[in-house]
Amino acid sequence: MPEVNIRHLDKIYDGGVQAVYDFNLDIADGEFIVLVGPSGCGKSTTLRMVAGLEDISAGTLIIDGKDCTQLPPKDRDIAMVFQNYALYGHMTIYENMAFSLTLRKENKEIIHRKVMAAAEILDLKTQLNKKPRQLSGGQRQRVAMGRAIVRNPKVFLFDEPLSNLDAKLRGSMRRELILLHKKLNATIMYVTHDQTEALTLADRIVCMSMGHVQQIGKPIELYEKPANTFVATFIGLPPMNMFEGKIEGGHFKCDLFDYPLSAEQGKVLAGHEGKQVILGVRPENVTRDGHIDLAITNNENLGMNTLVHGKIGGKKIVVCKFAEWCNYKAGDTIQIGFDPEMMHFFEMPQKDEKGNELPGKAIR
Ligand code: ADP
């Protein structure tokens, strides 16, 4: 499997809408890359430019050392699996999987070998004579992948392939995709708006917002060291709690509480004395050994943990995730604090020249 090198990719649609700004990424041989971000952030546009389904407005795309920037899709040696993976209802599963090779007038024996190999990988061997309607949603999704696999492409592109499936099936398909990636050693670019898919599938995640790449890194890097307030609140569920305040004399002070900083935090924040910053704390990093009063509003037991929602000072809503079954009632008050190792500090968001809010950068 080859490398993919994406350099300074821009997309400006007819009418002047810029959907992607200066996208840069080197995908290693066999790497599973997930593009994640909210609807409209430019992830599908980026994938479609790699596929050749959208013109590249500026920048270059190199696949396996070959400049593909201007090549039509059929010459790029890539295969795309979509959210709406329409199979041909009148064809058998075998015929569906063989379809692209049949179109290319490939030798029948070669087609048979490739379809059987893909069916083996995807556990579809006993389904080959059936019609798509006789298969479950998960099996149909596997046939769609089979159609891509038989082409032996250099790169697989997936555009929200699981979003039409129910939650349980999505979970099992995620695990199948991980195994499939290992078996094929495939280079994959995968688009989703679902941060869970990104965290569980990716070797590296590309997190996007408003056409801009916000951070590229391993899942744990985005989770533990988010580059800015956007990534901090997009990755992780429930999202990170954010507090706006000021650094003063070794404390983070806001209108809700005054929190002493550790010596380590004091060093990192030394340049921000007297300045406004944002403190971020994930629900799982809220502790019950602090001095901040939290008036509980909801207690949601999830089995292995409990989501506790409450208010500080009667207004600021905070979500905590405690690793045990809790039985708090609305109206109870508990004292919370934050794990000092897992407190994140960010600069205040800024506005760009067009008035768009830019996320606040992490202070490290
Ligand atoms: P995502 O996949 O992250 O949901 P898209 O890449 O589909 O986002 O879209 C990014 C932006 O480009 C959006 O603002 C969208 O409205 C715009 N866009 C997408 N396709 C077109 C098009 N064909 N013409 C004009 N604007 C488009």
Side-chain angles (χ1 to χ4, degrees), residues 13-14 17 19 37-46 54 191:
Y13 280 111
D14 294 342
V17 177
S39 176
C41 73
K43 47 195 193 303
S44 293
T45 300
T46 304
E54 290 292 348
V191 159

Side-chain angles (χ1 to χ4, degrees), residues 90-229:
H90 62 286
M91 291 185 191
T92 63
I93 298 310
Y94 184 102
E95 288 162 346
N96 265 285
M97 283 169 59
F99 187 69
S100 66
L101 303 178
T102 315
L103 265 191
R104 274 198 242 158
K105 304 209 175 4
E106 189 70 84
N107 170 301
K108 278 220 165 95
E109 257 172 54
I110 295 178
I111 295 181
H112 186 68
R113 205 163 5 96
K114 290 189 169 171
V115 171
M116 294 314 284
E120 171 82 44
I121 289 170
L122 295 163
D123 197 17
L124 286 170
K125 275 176 110 170
T126 55
Q127 313 296 328
L128 291 172
N129 293 324
K130 293 187 183 167
K131 295 278 172 63
R133 65 173 179 280
Q134 296 170 280
L135 267 55
S136 70
Q139 286 170 324
R140 284 202 290 264
Q141 182 56 261
R142 271 190 262 149
V143 177
M145 288 179 204
R147 289 201 301 200
I149 291 170
V150 294
R151 294 173 50 195
N152 194 24
K154 289 194 168 129
V155 184
F156 288 84
L157 305 178
F158 290 90
D159 194 355
E160 304 258 8
L162 308 187
S163 58
N164 283 349
L165 306 177
D166 66 47
K168 196 167 164 203
L169 195 49
R170 268 207 306 274
S172 65
M173 288 305 293
R174 275 205 312 265
R175 290 185 287 281
E176 283 191 20
L177 265 172
I178 293 168
L179 294 177
L180 187 64
H181 174 237
K182 286 225 173 77
K183 272 191 207 166
L184 296 172
N185 193 27
T187 306
I188 296 178
M189 230 177 144
Y190 183 107
V191 159
T192 179
H193 63 276
D194 178 348
Q195 60 95 41
T196 310
E197 273 177 35
L199 287 173
T200 51
L201 291 173
D203 290 322
R204 278 189 304 154
I205 296 174
V206 179
C207 184
M208 296 180 73
S209 164
M210 300 201 309
H212 295 270
V213 171
Q214 302 296 327
Q215 188 170 5
I216 301 176
K218 295 193 175 103
I220 192 154
E221 288 167 355
L222 273 74
Y223 177 77
E224 287 192 344
K225 292 195 164 25
N228 59 39
T229 47

